[in-house]
């Protein structure tokens, strides 16, 4: 298995909702990442997990809460989002930090 | 903070023409990666360069890392319609594995 699976592919949520994005990989990668990408812009790093521990948080608002339950799973919990949070949320993994990433196909999030 | 710029922002070429995108960092990089993102798709890892002056080839793609490790380039020989997409470089500095993506170059290939 050489892919990163993200669910759901699309999500529409209201500003008062709570939802979660899920990411799974079975490549034995020990680093996992969340990136946010707006249309026609580069991906922006949000969080880095290394060996299931949060190692980088790029000053992301607390309405985004990451969780790494085990070495194969990465979640992003969403609460009280704003319309400007609408974007493509990409999960990625790599063998370890410093190696090339395998990206998932992303969750396209719309906040209404 | 660290900034990574790419030029050009857009490039339209006729099929069969060559294409080059340049990546410039405001700080010295420890290594650089290149990704391709097709329209509507997700970034796909192409290559990683680590050594000063390094050159790597993948079929029609040639990647270079500058001697000062502050710039890099991707050259595609004889473009094909399958090369369409946005090419991103992503660099990291020593002591951190935070990769900052460049601004990207969007390539369109006209058949």
């Amino acid at each position: 298995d050489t892919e990163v699976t993200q669910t759901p592919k699309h999500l529409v949520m209201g500003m008062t909702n709570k939802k979660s994005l899920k990411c799974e990989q079975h490549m034995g990668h020990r680093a996992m990442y969340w990136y946010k990408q707006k249309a026609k812009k580069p991906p922006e790093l949000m969080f880095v997990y290394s060996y299931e521990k949060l190692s980088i948080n790029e000053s992301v608002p607390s309405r985004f809460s990451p969780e790494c339950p085990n070495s194969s799973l990465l979640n992003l919990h969403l609460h009280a989002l704003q319309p400007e949070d609408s974007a493509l949320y990409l999960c990625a993994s790599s063998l370890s930090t410093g190696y090339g990433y395998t990206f998932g196909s992303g969750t396209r999030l719309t906040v209404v | 903070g660290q900034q990574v710029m790419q030029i050009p922002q857009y490039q339209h070429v006729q099929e069969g023409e060559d294409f080059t995108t340049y990546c410039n960092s405001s700080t010295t990089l420890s290594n650089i990666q290149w990704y391709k993102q097709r329209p509507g798709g997700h970034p796909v890892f192409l290559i990683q360069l680590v050594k000063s002056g390094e050159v790597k080839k993948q079929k029609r793609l040639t990647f270079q890392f500058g001697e000062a490790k502050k710039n890099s380039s991707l050259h595609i020989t004889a473009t094909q319609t399958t090369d369409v997409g946005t090419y991103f470089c992503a660099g990291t500095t020593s002591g951190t594995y935070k990769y900052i993506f460049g601004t990207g170059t969007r390539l369109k290939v006209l058949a």
Side-chain angles (χ1 to χ4, degrees), chain A residues 37 40 42 58 98-99 101 104, chain B residues 33 35 37 48 98 102 106:
Chain A
Q37 188 176 30
K40 300 184 182 180
E58 283 292 278
Y99 287 81
Y101 296 175
Chain B
Q33 298 173 351
Y35 292 82
Q37 186 172 19
Q48 178 164 291
K98 187 170 77 173
R106 189 172 306 165

Side-chain angles (χ1 to χ4, degrees), chain A:
Chain A
D1 193 350
T2 58
E3 63 178 22
V4 173
T5 303
Q6 287 188 247
T7 55
K9 292 201 182 307
H10 301 273
L11 178 63
V12 179
M13 62 185 288
M15 289 189 282
T16 58
N17 290 161
K18 281 186 181 181
K19 296 285 185 184
S20 296
L21 308 185
K22 296 186 183 304
C23 174
E24 190 168 4
Q25 58 89 13
H26 295 288
M27 294 178 281
H29 288 178
R30 301 314 300 267
M32 296 186 77
Y33 314 83
W34 282 113
Y35 276 83
K36 173 183 176 180
Q37 188 176 30
K38 291 272 203 180
K40 300 184 182 180
K41 296 290 185 186
E44 293 175 36
L45 181 64
M46 299 175 73
F47 303 104
V48 178
Y49 273 84
S50 178
Y51 289 84
E52 297 151 60
K53 291 194 187 324
L54 183 65
S55 61
I56 295 177
N57 175 342
E58 283 292 278
S59 303
V60 179
S62 60
R63 57 186 185 268
F64 295 91
S65 175
E67 178 196 19
C68 188
N70 60 55
S71 60
S72 300
L73 293 173
L74 187 65
N75 298 321
L76 186 63
H77 302 298
L78 314 173
H79 174 53
L81 295 192
Q82 303 297 309
E84 58 265 29
D85 296 321
S86 299
L88 180 67
Y89 288 84
L90 292 161
C91 173
S93 70
S94 62
L95 190 62
S96 181
T97 52
Y99 287 81
Y101 296 175
T102 301
F103 278 90
S105 54
T107 294
R108 196 162 296 280
L109 174 68
T110 303
V111 181
V112 295

